[in-house]
Amino acid sequence: MAKQGYTPKQLASMSGVSVRTLHHYDQIGLLVPQRRDNGYRSYSAADVERLQQILLYRQMGLELQSIGELLDAHGYDPINALQQHLAALRKEHARLETLITTVEKTLATMKGDATMTDQERFEGLKAEAIANNEKTYGAEARARYGDKTIDAANAKLLRMTQGEWTDIMELEGAIKEQLRKAMATGDPASAEAAELVRMHARWLQAHWPDGVYSAQSHRGMAEGYLADQRFVDYYDGACGAGATQFLHDAIYANV
């Protein structure tokens, strides 16, 4: 590295991100380089290390604002963060191995070269569903609840029988239908809303480790729904504008 550090073009070439992205990170305060006498940006070795951590967290699905808060938090430990990322990569590797095996068996079965039990098909579907959830929400969930809790939740799902898994998938659809019915009343404290919350509580208890559910945790989840645009899009997209807010209000009215 030159004594004056890397230019944006040099760092972009080395890291694989665009110069425009580096400028954006600078503008939002996520990666702020020093300025040379001529006003040009100069990235130090510490900046390179921070960029690597930013990119690792982006791969894990974290939003830029969350990454900045995490990196700037008091007591942030980059070694521990890297160890967690390594553990996540190993889990992803195991997931891919499971899916590869499932696809190989499926192809062999379709060609008449092997047989595949319904249980084997089912286990592959469970692994894929858990992996998709990890990819979408895993980073935030692990940061908020800890690896131990999330690992226990995933293990609980993997232990489900096919009947239990089918029931919980059907419950997810029924919750959306009940949400539409409750919204039609316009009252978060209505009987329809109370039933909605009971159904939602059963869904949470099925996914969370035993003993974790409480009224407080249920309300905390409701707050999280409103704060995360992905959940707002999920519920509002399925049940209409304002669905996420109504679900939040119903939980607070009935828990």
Side-chain angles (χ1 to χ4, degrees), residues 77-109:
D77 184 353
I79 294 178
N80 181 58
L82 192 58
Q83 289 174 334
Q84 291 182 0
H85 183 65
L86 178 60
L89 288 175
R90 285 173 172 161
K91 290 177 182 178
E92 176 68 6
H93 176 74
R95 178 189 75 86
L96 289 174
E97 288 290 343
T98 299
L99 290 178
I100 289 171
T101 299
T102 300
V103 172
E104 288 176 340
K105 287 183 178 180
T106 301
L107 284 172
T109 300

Side-chain angles (χ1 to χ4, degrees), residues 40-80:
Y40 292 159
R41 294 174 174 86
S42 176
Y43 292 90
S44 66
D47 293 328
V48 174
E49 180 179 341
R50 183 177 174 94
L51 177 60
Q52 181 196 31
Q53 294 172 31
I54 291 169
L55 296 179
L56 287 175
Y57 281 119
R58 285 295 286 159
Q59 291 175 358
M60 295 170 67
L62 261 67
E63 300 295 329
L64 293 179
Q65 181 178 349
S66 299
I67 293 173
E69 293 172 353
L70 181 62
L71 294 179
D72 295 331
H74 177 70
Y76 170 71
D77 184 353
I79 294 178
N80 181 58

Side-chain angles (χ1 to χ4, degrees), residues 115-165:
T115 58
M116 187 178 189
T117 67
D118 289 340
Q119 184 63 25
E120 287 174 324
R121 296 178 191 274
F122 168 61
E123 292 301 327
L125 290 174
K126 280 199 302 184
E128 175 67 1
I130 291 171
N132 286 337
N133 189 63
E134 278 278 359
K135 183 178 181 180
T136 305
Y137 307 108
E140 289 94 336
R142 290 180 179 278
R144 182 173 183 178
Y145 302 110
D147 288 335
K148 184 177 180 180
T149 298
I150 301 305
D151 288 343
N154 289 341
K156 183 176 182 179
L157 291 176
L158 286 172
R159 290 194 302 269
M160 282 186 179
T161 65
Q162 188 166 355
E164 290 171 335
W165 181 266

